[in-house]
C-alpha cells in the first residue's frame, strides 16, 4: 500500500477533536514518542523566531508629499494636520504592531507614491 499523505490530511481535516486526541495518543504509544512541543533551551534567545508584528516607519516622504499625506491619512484614520505632521516629521512610525500582510500592504501603498518605508 502506497503512502497517500493527501488522503491522510483530508481525513485529519474532517476528524473531531476527540478523534484527533485519540490519534495522537495512539501514535505516541505505537512509536514510543511524545507529541509535546519542544521547550526552548534555557537562555535561548528569541532572535531566530519569526516576527508576527511590525512597526511601519515612514523614513522619507519622497517627492510626492501630498500623495504620501493622503495615504498616511487613509492608513491611520487621522486628520489632515496629524497626517501632515507624521509625513513632515519623517522618520515617524505610521502603524505599530501590524501583522506582516498589513505591514507589507501599507509599505507598498506608501512606496507607490514615492515614500521610503522601513518595517521594524
Amino acid at each position: 500500500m502506497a503512502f497517500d499523505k493527501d488522503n491522510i490530511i483530508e481525513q485529519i481535516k474532517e476528524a473531531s477533536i476527540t478523534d484527533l486526541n485519540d490519534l495522537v495518543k495512539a501514535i505516541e504509544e505505537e512509536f514510543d514518542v511524545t507529541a509535546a512541543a519542544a521547550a526552548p533551551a534555557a537562555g535561548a534567545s528569541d532572535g531566530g523566531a519569526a516576527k508576527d508584528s511590525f512597526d511601519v516607519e515612514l523614513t522619507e516622504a519622497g517627492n510626492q508629499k501630498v500623495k504620501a499625506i493622503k495615504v498616511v491619512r487613509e492608513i491611520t484614520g487621522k486628520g489632515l494636520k496629524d497626517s501632515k505632521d507624521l509625513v513632515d516629521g519623517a522618520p515617524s512610525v505610521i502603524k505599530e504592531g501590524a501583522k506582516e500582510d498589513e505591514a507589507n500592504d501599507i509599505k507598498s501603498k506608501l512606496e507607490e507614491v514615492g515614500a521610503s518605508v522601513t518595517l521594524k
Side-chain angles (χ1 to χ4, degrees), residues 2-3 20 22-23 41-42 51 60 70 72 81 84 87 92 96 103 109 113:
F3 181 76
L20 293 175
D22 292 343
L23 174 65
K51 290 182 71 167
E60 187 179 323
K70 287 180 180 180
V72 168
K81 181 178 180 346
K84 182 180 183 306
V87 172
S92 56
E96 293 180 342
K109 285 180 181 180
V113 296

Side-chain angles (χ1 to χ4, degrees), residues 66-80 82-84 86-87 94-95 102 105-106 109-110 112-113:
V66 173
K67 289 183 180 181
I69 293 169
K70 287 180 180 180
V71 172
V72 168
R73 187 174 180 199
E74 172 191 329
I75 292 165
T76 63
K78 294 182 182 232
L80 182 60
D82 290 335
S83 298
K84 182 180 183 306
L86 283 172
V87 172
I94 302 300
K95 179 89 174 184
E102 180 184 15
D105 184 46
I106 292 169
K109 285 180 181 180
L110 286 165
E112 283 177 17
V113 296

Side-chain angles (χ1 to χ4, degrees), residues 45-59:
S45 73
D46 195 19
K51 290 182 71 167
D52 61 348
S53 66
F54 296 86
D55 293 342
V56 182
E57 180 181 69
L58 176 68
T59 53

Side-chain angles (χ1 to χ4, degrees), residues 15-48:
S16 70
I17 297 297
T18 306
D19 290 338
L20 293 175
N21 188 37
D22 292 343
L23 174 65
V24 169
K25 287 179 183 177
I27 291 173
E28 286 176 336
E29 289 175 13
E30 180 69 27
F31 298 104
D32 194 28
V33 295
T34 180
S45 73
D46 195 19

